[in-house]
Amino acid sequence: MKRMYAVIGGSGLSQLPEFEVTRRQVQRTPYGEPSGALTFGTLAGTEIVFLARHGYGHTIAPHEINYRANIWALSQVEVDGIVAVASVGGIRSDLMPGHLMIPDQIIDYTHGRGATFFEGQEEPVQHIDFTWPYDNALRTALAHAANSINEEVVSGGCYACTQGPRLETAAEIKRLARDGADIVGMTGMPEASLARELGIPYAHLALVVNQAAGVGDSALEISHAEITRTVQDGMGRVLGILKSLVQL
Ligand code: HPA
């Protein structure tokens, strides 16, 4: 049977162009409201389910996202994998706006987010393995999907997740670089670990939309105009990779 993927769209991807919507499902969860209704439809003729992480009107800040409700809702409709699309800053100096990465590691700098399903009186504590936080088969499929349409992606790298919603200071980015991070975003955690808790394969497709604070062209400040330009162009390429993935 064909797989059904979920796509979680981040900044710049609160709607999927070329996605033919068939139905919307409001999914109740024990953790409250997801970011919006689950949107079912077809992409390149294949069924997928889409969820806009920041809400369909892009009104939910990274620290306000109900990650537990989002991942729980997707688990209830039995998706075979989650592709999480993310806009990120490039920390490594060779990662320029427009570059795409499928990271293989995470460092989590967030705090105060509902980060586990295994808490409360009724739930036994569980310590999931998270040595390799992303699903390797899904990462490989994404890389293959990109290669087959001649989209260059950097396979492997470390995603740092900061709390936001502000961007980082130059000193914070230097610290993340010393820690070994290559890219930085605000929404990858606890999304990835919650998916692992429920056994759902999860991978990130990250689009670099700016050089991180203090790096290269962002030495003095980060240009929002450039971010907007890069997002518009880059998300078209992300869409191409997703279309290629669902047809594999
Ligand atoms: N930092 C954190 N999150 C981001 C950035 C950044 O520079 N760019 C896009 N998301």
Side-chain angles (χ1 to χ4, degrees), residues 11 62 86-91 159-168 173 176 183-187 207-213 218 222 227 231:
S11 296
S87 296
V88 298
I91 298 177
Y159 173 106
C161 193
T162 56
Q163 177 74 356
R166 67 168 175 82
L167 294 165
E168 299 72 34
I173 292 298
L176 300 191
I183 55 176
V184 56
M186 300 174 188
T187 55
L207 170 70
V208 177
V209 296
N210 59 280
Q211 291 187 288
S218 299
I222 291 176
I227 291 184
V231 165

Short mmCIF file of all heavy atoms in Angstrom, two decimals, residues 11 62 86-91 159-168 173 176 183-187 207-213 218 222 227 231, ligand 1:
data_model
loop_
_atom_site.label_atom_id
_atom_site.label_comp_id
_atom_site.label_asym_id
_atom_site.label_seq_id
_atom_site.Cartn_x
_atom_site.Cartn_y
_atom_site.Cartn_z
N SER A 11 7.11 28.56 8.57
CA SER A 11 7.06 29.92 8.03
C SER A 11 7.25 29.88 6.53
O SER A 11 8.16 29.21 6.05
CB SER A 11 8.17 30.78 8.64
OG SER A 11 7.97 30.91 10.00
N PRO A 62 6.45 30.47 17.79
CA PRO A 62 7.11 29.16 18.02
C PRO A 62 6.90 28.60 19.44
O PRO A 62 6.65 27.41 19.59
CB PRO A 62 8.59 29.47 17.79
CG PRO A 62 8.59 30.60 16.82
CD PRO A 62 7.37 31.43 17.15
N ALA A 86 11.02 23.52 7.42
CA ALA A 86 11.43 24.57 8.35
C ALA A 86 12.28 25.61 7.64
O ALA A 86 13.12 25.28 6.80
CB ALA A 86 12.25 23.95 9.48
N SER A 87 12.05 26.87 7.99
CA SER A 87 12.96 27.94 7.57
C SER A 87 14.01 28.09 8.66
O SER A 87 13.66 28.12 9.84
CB SER A 87 12.21 29.27 7.45
OG SER A 87 11.24 29.19 6.45
N VAL A 88 15.26 28.18 8.27
CA VAL A 88 16.33 28.22 9.28
C VAL A 88 17.36 29.28 8.93
O VAL A 88 17.44 29.75 7.79
CB VAL A 88 17.04 26.85 9.42
CG1 VAL A 88 16.07 25.76 9.88
CG2 VAL A 88 17.73 26.45 8.11
N GLY A 89 18.16 29.63 9.93
CA GLY A 89 19.34 30.47 9.71
C GLY A 89 20.54 29.57 9.50
O GLY A 89 20.64 28.50 10.11
N GLY A 90 21.47 29.98 8.64
CA GLY A 90 22.69 29.21 8.42
C GLY A 90 23.78 29.67 9.39
O GLY A 90 24.10 30.86 9.44
N ILE A 91 24.29 28.74 10.17
CA ILE A 91 25.37 29.08 11.11
C ILE A 91 26.72 28.85 10.44
O ILE A 91 27.62 29.68 10.50
CB ILE A 91 25.25 28.22 12.39
CG1 ILE A 91 23.94 28.51 13.11
CG2 ILE A 91 26.45 28.46 13.31
CD1 ILE A 91 23.70 27.66 14.36
N TYR A 159 20.92 20.64 13.66
CA TYR A 159 19.89 21.68 13.79
C TYR A 159 19.83 22.12 15.25
O TYR A 159 19.59 21.29 16.14
CB TYR A 159 18.55 21.08 13.35
CG TYR A 159 17.32 21.94 13.56
CD1 TYR A 159 16.69 22.56 12.48
CD2 TYR A 159 16.75 22.11 14.82
CE1 TYR A 159 15.55 23.34 12.66
CE2 TYR A 159 15.62 22.89 15.01
CZ TYR A 159 15.02 23.50 13.93
OH TYR A 159 13.90 24.27 14.11
N ALA A 160 20.05 23.40 15.49
CA ALA A 160 19.89 23.94 16.85
C ALA A 160 18.50 24.54 16.96
O ALA A 160 18.09 25.30 16.08
CB ALA A 160 20.93 25.03 17.11
N CYS A 161 17.78 24.20 18.02
CA CYS A 161 16.45 24.77 18.20
C CYS A 161 16.46 25.78 19.34
O CYS A 161 16.73 25.43 20.49
CB CYS A 161 15.42 23.67 18.49
SG CYS A 161 13.74 24.31 18.35
N THR A 162 16.23 27.04 18.99
CA THR A 162 16.21 28.10 20.02
C THR A 162 14.76 28.43 20.37
O THR A 162 13.83 28.05 19.68
CB THR A 162 16.94 29.36 19.52
OG1 THR A 162 16.34 29.78 18.29
CG2 THR A 162 18.42 29.09 19.31
N GLN A 163 14.61 29.18 21.45
CA GLN A 163 13.27 29.43 21.99
C GLN A 163 12.50 30.48 21.20
O GLN A 163 11.29 30.39 21.06
CB GLN A 163 13.43 29.87 23.46
CG GLN A 163 12.15 30.25 24.16
CD GLN A 163 11.28 29.03 24.50
OE1 GLN A 163 11.61 27.89 24.14
NE2 GLN A 163 10.19 29.26 25.18
N GLY A 164 13.19 31.49 20.66
CA GLY A 164 12.49 32.55 19.95
C GLY A 164 11.55 33.29 20.90
O GLY A 164 11.58 33.07 22.11
N PRO A 165 10.61 34.09 20.38
CA PRO A 165 10.49 34.38 18.96
C PRO A 165 11.54 35.35 18.42
O PRO A 165 11.63 35.52 17.22
CB PRO A 165 9.08 35.00 18.85
CG PRO A 165 8.82 35.60 20.19
CD PRO A 165 9.54 34.73 21.18
N ARG A 166 12.34 35.95 19.29
CA ARG A 166 13.37 36.85 18.75
C ARG A 166 14.46 36.02 18.07
O ARG A 166 14.65 34.83 18.39
CB ARG A 166 13.99 37.70 19.87
CG ARG A 166 14.79 36.87 20.86
CD ARG A 166 15.64 37.71 21.79
NE ARG A 166 16.30 36.88 22.79
CZ ARG A 166 17.42 36.22 22.58
NH1 ARG A 166 18.04 36.26 21.41
NH2 ARG A 166 17.96 35.48 23.54
N LEU A 167 15.16 36.66 17.15
CA LEU A 167 16.35 36.01 16.58
C LEU A 167 17.47 36.07 17.62
O LEU A 167 17.36 36.74 18.64
CB LEU A 167 16.74 36.71 15.27
CG LEU A 167 15.69 36.53 14.16
CD1 LEU A 167 15.92 37.53 13.03
CD2 LEU A 167 15.72 35.11 13.62
N GLU A 168 18.57 35.37 17.34
CA GLU A 168 19.64 35.23 18.32
C GLU A 168 20.58 36.45 18.29
O GLU A 168 20.62 37.20 17.32
CB GLU A 168 20.44 33.96 18.03
CG GLU A 168 19.65 32.68 18.11
CD GLU A 168 18.66 32.48 16.96
OE1 GLU A 168 18.97 32.91 15.83
OE2 GLU A 168 17.58 31.92 17.20
N ILE A 173 24.94 32.87 18.56
CA ILE A 173 25.24 32.05 17.37
C ILE A 173 26.67 31.51 17.44
O ILE A 173 26.91 30.34 17.10
CB ILE A 173 25.00 32.87 16.08
CG1 ILE A 173 23.49 33.16 15.92
CG2 ILE A 173 25.56 32.15 14.85
CD1 ILE A 173 22.60 31.92 15.76
N LEU A 176 26.47 28.55 19.58
CA LEU A 176 25.86 27.40 18.89
C LEU A 176 26.87 26.76 17.93
O LEU A 176 26.92 25.54 17.80
CB LEU A 176 24.60 27.81 18.13
CG LEU A 176 23.43 28.43 18.90
CD1 LEU A 176 22.19 28.53 18.02
CD2 LEU A 176 23.09 27.65 20.15
N ILE A 183 22.78 24.77 11.57
CA ILE A 183 21.62 25.61 11.23
C ILE A 183 20.83 25.88 12.51
O ILE A 183 20.98 25.14 13.49
CB ILE A 183 20.70 24.94 10.17
CG1 ILE A 183 20.25 23.54 10.61
CG2 ILE A 183 21.37 24.89 8.80
CD1 ILE A 183 19.26 22.86 9.65
N VAL A 184 20.01 26.94 12.46
CA VAL A 184 19.24 27.28 13.66
C VAL A 184 17.81 27.62 13.28
O VAL A 184 17.56 28.34 12.32
CB VAL A 184 19.91 28.44 14.45
CG1 VAL A 184 20.13 29.68 13.58
CG2 VAL A 184 19.11 28.81 15.71
N GLY A 185 16.88 27.07 14.06
CA GLY A 185 15.46 27.37 13.88
C GLY A 185 14.79 27.38 15.25
O GLY A 185 15.46 27.22 16.28
N MET A 186 13.47 27.56 15.26
CA MET A 186 12.78 27.73 16.55
C MET A 186 11.69 26.70 16.79
O MET A 186 11.06 26.72 17.85
CB MET A 186 12.13 29.12 16.62
CG MET A 186 13.10 30.26 16.48
SD MET A 186 12.23 31.84 16.41
CE MET A 186 13.59 32.94 16.01
N THR A 187 11.47 25.79 15.84
CA THR A 187 10.28 24.94 15.95
C THR A 187 10.55 23.44 15.83
O THR A 187 9.61 22.65 15.88
CB THR A 187 9.25 25.31 14.85
OG1 THR A 187 9.92 25.22 13.59
CG2 THR A 187 8.70 26.71 15.04
N LEU A 207 15.12 24.89 4.89
CA LEU A 207 15.53 25.88 3.89
C LEU A 207 16.25 27.02 4.62
O LEU A 207 15.67 27.65 5.53
CB LEU A 207 14.29 26.43 3.17
CG LEU A 207 14.52 27.64 2.26
CD1 LEU A 207 15.30 27.24 1.00
CD2 LEU A 207 13.18 28.28 1.86
N VAL A 208 17.49 27.26 4.24
CA VAL A 208 18.24 28.38 4.83
C VAL A 208 17.68 29.68 4.24
O VAL A 208 17.67 29.84 3.01
CB VAL A 208 19.75 28.27 4.54
CG1 VAL A 208 20.50 29.48 5.11
CG2 VAL A 208 20.32 26.97 5.11
N VAL A 209 17.15 30.55 5.10
CA VAL A 209 16.56 31.80 4.59
C VAL A 209 17.40 33.03 4.95
O VAL A 209 17.14 34.12 4.46
CB VAL A 209 15.10 31.99 5.06
CG1 VAL A 209 14.20 30.89 4.49
CG2 VAL A 209 14.98 32.05 6.57
N ASN A 210 18.39 32.84 5.81
CA ASN A 210 19.30 33.94 6.15
C ASN A 210 20.56 33.35 6.74
O ASN A 210 20.55 32.21 7.20
CB ASN A 210 18.65 34.89 7.18
CG ASN A 210 18.28 34.18 8.48
OD1 ASN A 210 17.25 33.52 8.56
ND2 ASN A 210 19.13 34.29 9.48
N GLN A 211 21.65 34.11 6.70
CA GLN A 211 22.81 33.70 7.49
C GLN A 211 22.49 34.11 8.93
O GLN A 211 21.88 35.16 9.17
CB GLN A 211 24.06 34.40 6.97
CG GLN A 211 24.46 33.88 5.58
CD GLN A 211 25.80 34.42 5.13
OE1 GLN A 211 25.91 35.61 4.79
NE2 GLN A 211 26.82 33.59 5.15
N ALA A 212 22.85 33.27 9.87
CA ALA A 212 22.49 33.52 11.27
C ALA A 212 23.19 34.79 11.77
O ALA A 212 24.16 35.27 11.16
CB ALA A 212 22.85 32.30 12.11
N ALA A 213 22.72 35.30 12.90
CA ALA A 213 23.21 36.57 13.44
C ALA A 213 24.73 36.58 13.57
O ALA A 213 25.33 35.65 14.12
CB ALA A 213 22.58 36.82 14.80
N SER A 218 25.04 38.81 7.64
CA SER A 218 24.25 39.15 8.84
C SER A 218 25.15 39.68 9.95
O SER A 218 24.79 39.64 11.13
CB SER A 218 23.48 37.93 9.33
OG SER A 218 22.58 37.48 8.35
N ILE A 222 20.03 41.24 10.51
CA ILE A 222 19.43 40.27 9.59
C ILE A 222 18.37 40.98 8.76
O ILE A 222 17.52 41.70 9.31
CB ILE A 222 18.84 39.08 10.38
CG1 ILE A 222 20.02 38.28 10.99
CG2 ILE A 222 17.99 38.19 9.49
CD1 ILE A 222 19.61 37.13 11.87
N ILE A 227 15.01 37.68 3.66
CA ILE A 227 14.33 36.46 4.11
C ILE A 227 13.08 36.23 3.26
O ILE A 227 12.85 35.15 2.75
CB ILE A 227 13.97 36.53 5.61
CG1 ILE A 227 15.25 36.49 6.45
CG2 ILE A 227 13.02 35.39 6.00
CD1 ILE A 227 15.02 36.47 7.94
N VAL A 231 12.41 33.00 0.96
CA VAL A 231 11.31 32.09 1.29
C VAL A 231 10.46 31.86 0.04
O VAL A 231 10.12 30.73 -0.30
CB VAL A 231 10.45 32.65 2.44
CG1 VAL A 231 9.13 31.91 2.55
CG2 VAL A 231 11.19 32.55 3.76
N1 HPA B 1 17.38 31.96 13.85
C1 HPA B 1 16.36 31.20 14.33
N2 HPA B 1 15.35 30.81 13.60
C2 HPA B 1 15.33 31.15 12.30
C3 HPA B 1 16.35 31.94 11.73
C4 HPA B 1 17.44 32.35 12.55
O1 HPA B 1 18.38 33.05 12.11
N3 HPA B 1 16.03 32.13 10.42
C5 HPA B 1 14.85 31.46 10.23
N4 HPA B 1 14.43 30.88 11.36
#
